[in-house]
Amino acid sequence: AQQHQRSRWYIGGQWTDRMRKSDFDQEKKTVVGDQTTTSHSVGPRTGDSYHYTLKGGWSLNLPKTTIALDLEGGYGGNKRKGEMNYKETRSVAGGSPVTEDYRSIDDYDNDENIGLGSLAVQHKFNDKGHELSGSAYYKYGGHALEYFFNDLMSLEGQRQQGHRAYEAEHRETMRINLDYALPFGKGGKLEAGYQYYSYLEDGDYTMQFWNPEKKEFYWREDIYNTFYFQRGIHSVYVMGSDSYKAFDVQIGVRGEHTHQVLRSSIEGSDRTVNRFEVFPSVHLGYTLPHEQKLTFAYSYRTNRPELFFMEPYITYRDYYTAEIGNPDIRPEYIHSFELNYKKTMGEHTLQSSLFYRKRKD
């Protein structure tokens, strides 16, 4: 790193491997029509979250203004492997159960080339909290490949079944913020801001299955699927806070417009969403005698489903577990109420909380 009176630059790198290992034990019963299948799987599982990047940045500190620029590029992802011993028992109503033993081997990897940059600017009009700040962030994940291999083997090591799933895509994340803060009175503050957030994913999904008779993998053309997803959210907020004698109050409101597009080559799965929502929040505080304080808070917020939950095509976790998303899944909305009491006794503090949350969808 190099530093002058007002400017500073740095260059560095990151090498991260977060290794994990676990012992897996699962019993599962599946009923389809008049057939019941019970399986018991035992074995080790391993995983690795990895991140290898180079990064650099520059910052400028002026008397009232600061500017910071950061750039990063590299490679990252996560992987997992498993080797399970399966005991499977199948029974049909009126028939005798049949038990077979297998080994299931799975290998998963999700990696991408990473390029990202961020810019932050802050201007202080004075030392009392009157300031304007803005930031921008962009991340590109190129040549992203998510694949899953799974083989169902006999105890003698012969492949009985198997499949290979490939999801190739590129991902883009962008965020722009603009925030303004204006103090007033003895302890009041008015804050307002704007944010734009966007996430884009574009790619295709294909699979191979094992043909036991020909002893080779073949492509499943009926499973091949292209997809495109983009979610853009414009947000504006206003929040005011002040205090009067023993009372503290903070009231805010956030308005959000969501534009979301999901397209897929699977027939009937295209969706477009345009939605405007308002999310208020209130925080009240009252200071009681003898170092006691009572606070009340209310907020209304949302939890949007990730793309994984909306993908309208089948993906596999292992030979026995297939998943498919729902393109019509709705966001979750949460009303949160909280009441807190705090009593300070010298070096000791007594605190209790009562909360209620109501969730929809």
Side-chain angles (χ1 to χ4, degrees):
Q2 182 69 36
Q3 186 168 354
H4 298 287
Q5 186 175 4
R6 291 184 174 181
S7 67
R8 176 180 181 269
W9 62 266
Y10 78 91
I11 187 169
Q14 179 178 348
W15 181 295
T16 303
D17 273 288
R18 296 178 180 174
M19 316 290 289
R20 56 192 180 275
K21 183 178 180 180
S22 61
D23 293 318
F24 187 83
D25 191 331
Q26 175 182 274
E27 292 188 26
K28 183 164 60 176
K29 178 182 288 186
T30 305
V31 179
V32 180
D34 59 354
Q35 177 173 301
T36 300
T37 304
T38 303
S39 66
H40 184 204
S41 54
V42 180
R45 300 197 71 90
T46 59
D48 179 15
S49 296
Y50 51 94
H51 197 76
Y52 317 125
T53 61
L54 292 175
K55 53 186 175 180
W58 170 79
S59 62
L60 177 65
N61 293 291
L62 300 174
K64 292 186 177 181
T65 306
T66 60
I67 303 172
L69 174 67
D70 294 279
L71 299 172
E72 184 175 349
Y75 175 74
N78 60 83
K79 60 179 67 177
R80 65 174 184 263
K81 291 184 178 180
E83 187 170 332
M84 305 290 108
N85 290 323
Y86 274 92
K87 180 178 289 292
E88 182 179 276
T89 302
R90 292 186 299 274
S91 60
V92 179
S96 301
V98 177
T99 299
E100 294 179 302
D101 292 304
Y102 300 100
R103 287 173 58 239
S104 177
I105 303 171
D106 61 86
D107 186 358
Y108 169 86
D109 194 356
N110 183 3
D111 59 18
E112 64 180 349
N113 296 329
I114 300 169
L116 63 88
S118 64
L119 174 67
V121 180
Q122 182 185 46
H123 178 74
K124 295 183 178 181
F125 297 97
N126 55 38
D127 295 331
K128 299 179 181 179
H130 185 197
E131 62 185 45
L132 178 67
S133 60
S135 64
Y137 170 89
Y138 177 78
K139 178 182 177 182
Y140 178 81
H143 300 287
L145 178 64
E146 182 176 1
Y147 69 77
F148 182 82
F149 298 171
N150 185 238
D151 289 314
L152 193 65
M153 314 289 288
S154 68
L155 296 183
E156 294 75 30
Q158 301 296 317
R159 184 185 285 111
Q160 305 297 303
Q161 296 288 347
H163 63 259
R164 309 284 187 255
Y166 305 88
E167 188 172 313
E169 62 202 12
H170 83 270
R171 311 175 183 123
E172 295 180 46
T173 304
M174 181 171 63
R175 187 174 59 248
I176 299 172
N177 290 80
L178 184 64
D179 299 282
Y180 177 71
L182 175 66
F184 62 88
K186 294 183 178 180
K189 195 173 188 180
L190 178 67
E191 298 173 81
Y194 164 80
Q195 176 180 272
Y196 175 69
Y197 171 82
S198 173
Y199 178 75
L200 181 149
E201 196 168 301
D202 187 6
D204 61 9
Y205 183 83
T206 188
M207 291 189 66
Q208 289 178 300
F209 276 73
W210 176 254
N211 186 325
E213 297 177 357
K214 296 184 178 180
K215 297 190 181 302
E216 63 182 18
F217 284 96
Y218 66 96
W219 293 101
R220 284 281 300 272
E221 299 296 336
D222 59 317
I223 290 181
Y224 176 76
N225 172 61
T226 61
F227 61 89
Y228 172 88
F229 174 79
Q230 194 269 333
R231 174 187 286 161
I233 304 171
H234 294 274
S235 304
V236 291
Y237 76 90
V238 177
M239 183 168 60
S241 60
D242 201 359
S243 59
Y244 177 74
K245 294 185 178 180
F247 288 94
D248 300 313
V249 59
Q250 179 177 289
I251 300 175
V253 62
R254 189 175 77 255
E256 294 190 350
H257 178 267
T258 301
H259 175 72
Q260 182 174 290
V261 176
L262 174 65
R263 292 201 299 265
S264 170
S265 57
I266 294 179
E267 186 177 355
S269 60
D270 290 1
R271 299 290 187 276
T272 300
V273 173
N274 282 290
R275 182 172 54 237
F276 180 77
E277 299 162 306
V278 177
F279 300 98
S281 64
V282 178
H283 185 280
L284 303 174
Y286 182 67
T287 302
L288 298 164
H290 309 297
E291 298 188 84
Q292 302 175 91
K293 188 160 188 176
L294 196 64
T295 59
F296 167 79
Y298 163 77
S299 66
Y300 179 51
R301 56 186 187 271
T302 186
N303 181 23
R304 297 179 179 86
E306 299 177 24
L307 174 59
F308 171 76
F309 295 105
M310 295 183 286
E311 292 173 333
Y313 51 88
I314 294 173
T315 58
Y316 287 79
R317 284 188 177 268
D318 58 31
Y319 184 77
Y320 289 92
T321 308
E323 300 171 328
I324 187 168
N326 174 11
D328 294 313
I329 191 170
R330 294 186 294 265
E332 180 184 49
Y333 296 97
I334 307 162
H335 292 277
S336 178
F337 301 84
E338 189 168 323
L339 184 65
N340 293 287
Y341 169 79
K342 183 178 180 180
K343 165 70 174 175
T344 302
M345 299 168 288
E347 298 180 353
H348 303 281
T349 301
L350 173 66
Q351 186 167 329
S352 62
S353 298
L354 179 68
F355 71 88
Y356 171 76
R357 291 190 182 97
K358 181 182 179 181
R359 301 174 184 268
K360 180 182 179 183
D361 293 337

